[in-house]
Amino acid sequence: MSFPVVLKPAAKAEFDGAFDGYEQQRAGLGVDFVARTQEVFERIGLMPLAHAVVFQDVRRANVRKFPCNRSLPPLRRGGWGGGNSAMTDYIRS
């Protein structure tokens, strides 16, 4: 079973800003950022409990080559937050 990963609005805005910033640094770098982040989202959806605990019940999954992380709120019966999706926050390391 795989859980979908859904970005909250503030996380989506920061993610989009990171994409734009990487594209300004070098053409194609933002595209690489999105591809590598998508790989992490897929891993989180498949194996959310495999990631390191960073604080109480918050876990982190690193994106290779890019200085950002995904943190997951605690797993609850029926999914994250009682629903059927993994809700993530986009945080800077």
Side-chain angles (χ1 to χ4, degrees):
M1 175 188 225
S2 179
F3 294 95
V5 175
V6 179
L7 292 176
K8 295 177 182 177
K12 175 74 168 115
E14 189 172 345
F15 181 82
D16 291 346
F19 169 81
D20 292 341
Y22 286 127
E23 277 298 307
Q24 288 176 1
Q25 287 181 33
R26 189 180 81 227
L29 190 58
V31 174
D32 188 29
F33 169 70
V34 170
R36 289 176 185 263
T37 302
Q38 184 59 42
E39 291 171 2
V40 171
F41 286 162
E42 289 170 10
R43 259 193 347 260
I44 290 169
L46 290 171
M47 302 177 298
L49 300 180
H51 303 285
V53 174
V54 293
F55 178 74
Q56 295 177 353
D57 52 7
V58 175
R59 296 173 179 270
R60 176 175 292 156
N62 295 324
V63 178
R64 293 176 198 247
K65 188 180 172 183
F66 295 94
C68 61
N69 299 293
R70 302 286 150 283
S71 84
L72 301 175
L75 179 63
R76 302 188 199 300
R77 186 178 297 183
W80 280 260
N84 293 319
S85 65
M87 297 300 292
T88 63
D89 289 317
Y90 182 81
I91 59 172
R92 298 305 239 167
S93 58

